[in-house]
Amino acid sequence: MTADHDNPAPQAAGTTTSLMMPKAPLLLSGMRFSVWISPDGEIERLANSDIATRITLEPPFVCHARATAQRLGVEPFLAYDVLELIAFVRPTAACTPTPRGLATFIGAPEPTSIEAATLLLYQTAELLLRELASRGRSFDPYAADVARTMMMGGWLWGPAVLAAMGEEDLHTPASRPGRGLNVWERLEEWSDHAPEDPPRQLSVSPEESRNRLAELLGEEAESRPQQADYASAVASAFAPRNIAGEPNILLAEAGTGVGKTLGYIAPASIWAEKNGAPVWISTYTRNLQTQIDSELDRLFPERYDKAKRVVIRKGRENYLCLLNLAEATQALPARPNDAIAIGLMARWAGRSRNGDMVGGDFPGWLSDLVGRSRTTGLTDRRGECIYSACPHYSRCYIERNIRKAKRANIVVANHALVMVQAAMGGGRDEGNLPSHYVFDEGHHLFDAADAAFSAHLTAQESQELRRWLTGVESSTTRSASRARGLKKRLEDLIATDPRTGELVTETIHAARHLTGDGWVNRLEDNLPVGPMESFLAHVRTQVYARTDPENSPYSLETETKPSVPGLLETALELKTALKELLEPIKNLRRRLEQRLDTEADELDSDTRRRIEAACKSLEQRGSNQVQAWVSMLDALEDETPEEFTDWFSVERAGGKDLDVGLHRHWIDPTKPLANTLLAQAHGTVITSATLTEGSGSEEGDWIGAERRTGASFVPGNPIRVKFKSPYDYVDQTRVFIINDVRKDDMEQVAAAYRELFLASQGGALGLFTAISRLRNVHQKIGPELDRAGLTLYSQHMDNLDTSTLIDIFRAERNSSLLGTDAVRDGVDVPGDSLRLIVFDRVPWPRPTIQHRARKEHFGGNRYNDSQTRLKLKQAYGRLVRRANDRGVFVLLDPMMPSRLQNAFPEGVSIQKIGLAETVQQIRSFFAPPAVK
């Protein structure tokens, strides 16, 4: 066979530059075989094992080179990756990294064969190069400069890109980084404003809320009485607070299809307009943040107006740090292999809406493609920000967003950020906490609070604190420019005050007691260095002595008492060392605070902000953390406070230690959530489709919802409302519990997944309670599904991040996806792409020391049932997202208790039958109407 792909289509009108398409083969690889189309158009289907030699001789066109290499079972290889070209030409454009995704991206018909899909590689590249050519240099003056710099790293697309832009000397890379990478020079500066006035205290009436909802929906929208009733009920949370510490709390369960997003946007937007302050809408998943942002287009259809009125907020670690990017750019002469990644980062940074690299307009697949260290690794993940001392401070994405949020109407945040702010009392970024919140995905508040209000005395946490204080200490770790220690961050303040410098030196010296680089090997060899490592070595000994590391599929954990010989002695030594560290940290903070007072008439605004930020970070990252560690060590000799649970653990992966340490969690983390956030707010809406578990006791379900959200710890009585889904689950769904597959026999489990996925012809989500079980099934069924023309993707197996996997699953109607809890929580796939969910077994809570403490606190086996019922309810809820969706839920566990079946809607068919009969019924359920 031959394909005519080396004759370019006519050029775009007005284009005078001719294209120089690479004369390279096209390669598309599946799990069993690959399609190879030569530059002359010859088409071959080859076994993957036969491709390895060819790719070393002729770099091919591919879509996602790393994923392709993984499918071929080879090391990463040179290739013309069309995704790199997309990231260069359209840096913020959404594109699913599959052939069908490419077809959608360029507006081509969906490919009907693997050969047609392969040709899309060429067609996409040709379209993008023509686009560059049609724009001309004046439209994109820095593109050629960036491309030439990327050629320092061997970027194969460089000559073709330069040719498209009418450049000469096409094959000569830059000798040093060009100015095109200096994107920070071209970003608009933000400006400060006067402090915002206090908000008014005007209420929102139910009628106002209904009217705003009607405006958002438009005149032609179908009548949805439940949505209007929901919007009316939510208005109650926006009434003025009558008693300090007693907020207006609304618990609102709204089934899928009610339309809760616009239902709460309506009253929230009115309150913000009337009172001159933002309402914070918080979600658990970034996917819902993006959805809410899209829905707000109805409220602010004009892009400029929306940019002022709506702000997406996440933690600092989600945003590109311009100083990190600048330092990585400066390092390119010594690290030319980074040029491709840094060039693509510069292209994206110049076009990004807000610098958000996690769920914003940054393509998630780019990190998988060019490496995380030079993409998402350029965020401020380690608290090394130097604030106003940074030369890019006035253009910083984070600082711009913080200031915009204070003047916005709606701030769309996530639970993690909101919890951290609450734990810090607002933090340096926010000042005062918001007065009104809407928590969507409210059933996740317990988990979010659990993460925010916990403490960990571990090797990794200790190492991070040491790096934060001392900076880089050896050439084998991160580059010196990226690991900014305390001295580097405060150098301008030290220069004007010798005493500050002395205290910084004392702090850095005391930090040597903490975990250093190379701790893993030293602990394995029982050669610890310093009091922290000595203590952790004994912790590791105790964990390994009291667990079964050879047969445990999880990381290891054990109780803190009784302790092994020597552990208490090393804990005492560590406590003394931590107090030695705590003293100079506190003194340094006091010294800086004194300067705010004694030099009040001399300090400019930027320096004052720098000092305030340093004080806050020394308190939160330094003294608070170290003091918590001291308290945890005290409990090893005394008693752990009754509201906490402590344990030792060794985190492992692939049989190797990743971390070791002592952990402390609240038994009920909603208590600090209530005290620090809910009780301080004036009004809070907590909403979800699964707030209540559906146990059969209406009052019991609401009491459980109040306990899981923290509402039970706040004075007053929250308002409870429930709105049922308008969908006909009885007709649209089926539930099967398979009774003849042994859940502990992975051969049987894998065979069941295979037959079920084949019966639905893909569109299937397989959920697992353990990663090891997922991997086992993936290896067994992947080739057989591929043989049937069905693509299988898997979390923890494919060289793709979770969000990209979900995007692919959403876009590819007949693909299937295997995943764990992170996939279940992140999947929102309306339509036919998700029509079957298979759980490998009943998702009982994992038996841990923490779970045991909570089980005892929350009611024994009833707590187990509650947690499991909610997981089933939430997973089942993913099946039907639109009125015409249809889906099947399958549980491969004959031991499913009947008392948990009320996790599913009343009246839904629940059948306990064998695998063969289930397969037949699934085929019948999805058969076209004429066949039935």
PDB file of all heavy atoms in Angstrom, residues 325-342:
ATOM      1  N   LEU A 325      12.130  30.012  35.929  1.00  0.00           N
ATOM      2  CA  LEU A 325      12.259  29.943  34.476  1.00  0.00           C
ATOM      3  C   LEU A 325      13.474  30.732  34.013  1.00  0.00           C
ATOM      4  O   LEU A 325      14.234  30.272  33.148  1.00  0.00           O
ATOM      5  CB  LEU A 325      10.985  30.483  33.808  1.00  0.00           C
ATOM      6  CG  LEU A 325      10.993  30.525  32.279  1.00  0.00           C
ATOM      7  CD1 LEU A 325      11.159  29.128  31.695  1.00  0.00           C
ATOM      8  CD2 LEU A 325       9.716  31.182  31.755  1.00  0.00           C
ATOM      9  N   ALA A 326      13.687  31.924  34.584  1.00  0.00           N
ATOM     10  CA  ALA A 326      14.830  32.749  34.192  1.00  0.00           C
ATOM     11  C   ALA A 326      16.148  32.048  34.523  1.00  0.00           C
ATOM     12  O   ALA A 326      17.094  32.062  33.720  1.00  0.00           O
ATOM     13  CB  ALA A 326      14.760  34.101  34.892  1.00  0.00           C
ATOM     14  N   GLU A 327      16.218  31.430  35.695  1.00  0.00           N
ATOM     15  CA  GLU A 327      17.459  30.753  36.078  1.00  0.00           C
ATOM     16  C   GLU A 327      17.702  29.513  35.223  1.00  0.00           C
ATOM     17  O   GLU A 327      18.851  29.195  34.880  1.00  0.00           O
ATOM     18  CB  GLU A 327      17.407  30.404  37.562  1.00  0.00           C
ATOM     19  CG  GLU A 327      17.468  31.648  38.441  1.00  0.00           C
ATOM     20  CD  GLU A 327      17.289  31.343  39.925  1.00  0.00           C
ATOM     21  OE1 GLU A 327      16.833  30.224  40.257  1.00  0.00           O
ATOM     22  OE2 GLU A 327      17.601  32.225  40.752  1.00  0.00           O
ATOM     23  N   ALA A 328      16.635  28.809  34.866  1.00  0.00           N
ATOM     24  CA  ALA A 328      16.791  27.658  33.973  1.00  0.00           C
ATOM     25  C   ALA A 328      17.248  28.112  32.592  1.00  0.00           C
ATOM     26  O   ALA A 328      18.039  27.432  31.926  1.00  0.00           O
ATOM     27  CB  ALA A 328      15.470  26.898  33.869  1.00  0.00           C
ATOM     28  N   THR A 329      16.775  29.275  32.154  1.00  0.00           N
ATOM     29  CA  THR A 329      17.199  29.835  30.868  1.00  0.00           C
ATOM     30  C   THR A 329      18.679  30.198  30.896  1.00  0.00           C
ATOM     31  O   THR A 329      19.433  29.898  29.962  1.00  0.00           O
ATOM     32  CB  THR A 329      16.349  31.075  30.534  1.00  0.00           C
ATOM     33  OG1 THR A 329      14.973  30.701  30.446  1.00  0.00           O
ATOM     34  CG2 THR A 329      16.784  31.700  29.220  1.00  0.00           C
ATOM     35  N   GLN A 330      19.099  30.836  31.972  1.00  0.00           N
ATOM     36  CA  GLN A 330      20.506  31.231  32.097  1.00  0.00           C
ATOM     37  C   GLN A 330      21.441  30.026  32.149  1.00  0.00           C
ATOM     38  O   GLN A 330      22.613  30.122  31.773  1.00  0.00           O
ATOM     39  CB  GLN A 330      20.677  32.095  33.352  1.00  0.00           C
ATOM     40  CG  GLN A 330      19.982  33.442  33.270  1.00  0.00           C
ATOM     41  CD  GLN A 330      19.798  34.091  34.628  1.00  0.00           C
ATOM     42  OE1 GLN A 330      20.318  33.618  35.638  1.00  0.00           O
ATOM     43  NE2 GLN A 330      19.053  35.195  34.659  1.00  0.00           N
ATOM     44  N   ALA A 331      20.929  28.899  32.606  1.00  0.00           N
ATOM     45  CA  ALA A 331      21.764  27.696  32.741  1.00  0.00           C
ATOM     46  C   ALA A 331      21.881  26.909  31.437  1.00  0.00           C
ATOM     47  O   ALA A 331      22.616  25.915  31.376  1.00  0.00           O
ATOM     48  CB  ALA A 331      21.196  26.793  33.843  1.00  0.00           C
ATOM     49  N   LEU A 332      21.194  27.334  30.373  1.00  0.00           N
ATOM     50  CA  LEU A 332      21.167  26.546  29.140  1.00  0.00           C
ATOM     51  C   LEU A 332      22.550  26.335  28.504  1.00  0.00           C
ATOM     52  O   LEU A 332      22.806  25.262  27.949  1.00  0.00           O
ATOM     53  CB  LEU A 332      20.216  27.180  28.124  1.00  0.00           C
ATOM     54  CG  LEU A 332      18.720  26.944  28.382  1.00  0.00           C
ATOM     55  CD1 LEU A 332      17.885  27.614  27.303  1.00  0.00           C
ATOM     56  CD2 LEU A 332      18.405  25.457  28.439  1.00  0.00           C
ATOM     57  N   PRO A 333      23.447  27.323  28.516  1.00  0.00           N
ATOM     58  CA  PRO A 333      24.766  27.049  27.926  1.00  0.00           C
ATOM     59  C   PRO A 333      25.456  25.839  28.549  1.00  0.00           C
ATOM     60  O   PRO A 333      26.164  25.097  27.854  1.00  0.00           O
ATOM     61  CB  PRO A 333      25.544  28.342  28.195  1.00  0.00           C
ATOM     62  CG  PRO A 333      24.491  29.401  28.214  1.00  0.00           C
ATOM     63  CD  PRO A 333      23.319  28.747  28.890  1.00  0.00           C
ATOM     64  N   ALA A 334      25.214  25.617  29.850  1.00  0.00           N
ATOM     65  CA  ALA A 334      25.811  24.458  30.519  1.00  0.00           C
ATOM     66  C   ALA A 334      24.906  23.237  30.444  1.00  0.00           C
ATOM     67  O   ALA A 334      25.372  22.108  30.667  1.00  0.00           O
ATOM     68  CB  ALA A 334      26.106  24.793  31.980  1.00  0.00           C
ATOM     69  N   ARG A 335      23.622  23.447  30.130  1.00  0.00           N
ATOM     70  CA  ARG A 335      22.658  22.342  30.078  1.00  0.00           C
ATOM     71  C   ARG A 335      21.854  22.445  28.773  1.00  0.00           C
ATOM     72  O   ARG A 335      20.633  22.644  28.803  1.00  0.00           O
ATOM     73  CB  ARG A 335      21.719  22.391  31.285  1.00  0.00           C
ATOM     74  CG  ARG A 335      22.426  22.318  32.637  1.00  0.00           C
ATOM     75  CD  ARG A 335      21.437  22.544  33.781  1.00  0.00           C
ATOM     76  NE  ARG A 335      20.408  21.535  33.804  1.00  0.00           N
ATOM     77  CZ  ARG A 335      20.447  20.428  34.540  1.00  0.00           C
ATOM     78  NH1 ARG A 335      21.501  20.197  35.311  1.00  0.00           N
ATOM     79  NH2 ARG A 335      19.456  19.566  34.524  1.00  0.00           N
ATOM     80  N   PRO A 336      22.496  22.318  27.632  1.00  0.00           N
ATOM     81  CA  PRO A 336      21.782  22.514  26.354  1.00  0.00           C
ATOM     82  C   PRO A 336      20.665  21.510  26.120  1.00  0.00           C
ATOM     83  O   PRO A 336      19.737  21.792  25.353  1.00  0.00           O
ATOM     84  CB  PRO A 336      22.899  22.369  25.305  1.00  0.00           C
ATOM     85  CG  PRO A 336      23.977  21.586  25.993  1.00  0.00           C
ATOM     86  CD  PRO A 336      23.927  21.997  27.424  1.00  0.00           C
ATOM     87  N   ASN A 337      20.722  20.351  26.771  1.00  0.00           N
ATOM     88  CA  ASN A 337      19.652  19.363  26.582  1.00  0.00           C
ATOM     89  C   ASN A 337      18.308  19.840  27.117  1.00  0.00           C
ATOM     90  O   ASN A 337      17.274  19.265  26.792  1.00  0.00           O
ATOM     91  CB  ASN A 337      20.029  18.046  27.252  1.00  0.00           C
ATOM     92  CG  ASN A 337      21.143  17.326  26.524  1.00  0.00           C
ATOM     93  OD1 ASN A 337      21.381  17.565  25.351  1.00  0.00           O
ATOM     94  ND2 ASN A 337      21.848  16.447  27.226  1.00  0.00           N
ATOM     95  N   ASP A 338      18.348  20.879  27.959  1.00  0.00           N
ATOM     96  CA  ASP A 338      17.102  21.432  28.493  1.00  0.00           C
ATOM     97  C   ASP A 338      16.452  22.432  27.544  1.00  0.00           C
ATOM     98  O   ASP A 338      15.364  22.944  27.837  1.00  0.00           O
ATOM     99  CB  ASP A 338      17.357  22.137  29.835  1.00  0.00           C
ATOM    100  CG  ASP A 338      17.717  21.173  30.953  1.00  0.00           C
ATOM    101  OD1 ASP A 338      17.405  19.972  30.806  1.00  0.00           O
ATOM    102  OD2 ASP A 338      18.296  21.610  31.962  1.00  0.00           O
ATOM    103  N   ALA A 339      17.102  22.743  26.429  1.00  0.00           N
ATOM    104  CA  ALA A 339      16.648  23.842  25.574  1.00  0.00           C
ATOM    105  C   ALA A 339      15.252  23.610  25.010  1.00  0.00           C
ATOM    106  O   ALA A 339      14.459  24.554  24.887  1.00  0.00           O
ATOM    107  CB  ALA A 339      17.642  24.066  24.443  1.00  0.00           C
ATOM    108  N   ILE A 340      14.927  22.375  24.647  1.00  0.00           N
ATOM    109  CA  ILE A 340      13.595  22.113  24.083  1.00  0.00           C
ATOM    110  C   ILE A 340      12.516  22.397  25.122  1.00  0.00           C
ATOM    111  O   ILE A 340      11.530  23.098  24.853  1.00  0.00           O
ATOM    112  CB  ILE A 340      13.501  20.662  23.580  1.00  0.00           C
ATOM    113  CG1 ILE A 340      14.500  20.431  22.443  1.00  0.00           C
ATOM    114  CG2 ILE A 340      12.081  20.345  23.114  1.00  0.00           C
ATOM    115  CD1 ILE A 340      14.597  18.982  21.980  1.00  0.00           C
ATOM    116  N   ALA A 341      12.710  21.850  26.323  1.00  0.00           N
ATOM    117  CA  ALA A 341      11.715  22.051  27.379  1.00  0.00           C
ATOM    118  C   ALA A 341      11.575  23.521  27.737  1.00  0.00           C
ATOM    119  O   ALA A 341      10.454  24.043  27.856  1.00  0.00           O
ATOM    120  CB  ALA A 341      12.106  21.241  28.614  1.00  0.00           C
ATOM    121  N   ILE A 342      12.687  24.226  27.904  1.00  0.00           N
ATOM    122  CA  ILE A 342      12.624  25.630  28.312  1.00  0.00           C
ATOM    123  C   ILE A 342      12.033  26.482  27.193  1.00  0.00           C
ATOM    124  O   ILE A 342      11.278  27.430  27.452  1.00  0.00           O
ATOM    125  CB  ILE A 342      14.031  26.133  28.711  1.00  0.00           C
ATOM    126  CG1 ILE A 342      14.567  25.314  29.890  1.00  0.00           C
ATOM    127  CG2 ILE A 342      13.986  27.611  29.073  1.00  0.00           C
ATOM    128  CD1 ILE A 342      13.658  25.283  31.103  1.00  0.00           C
TER     129      ILE A 342
END
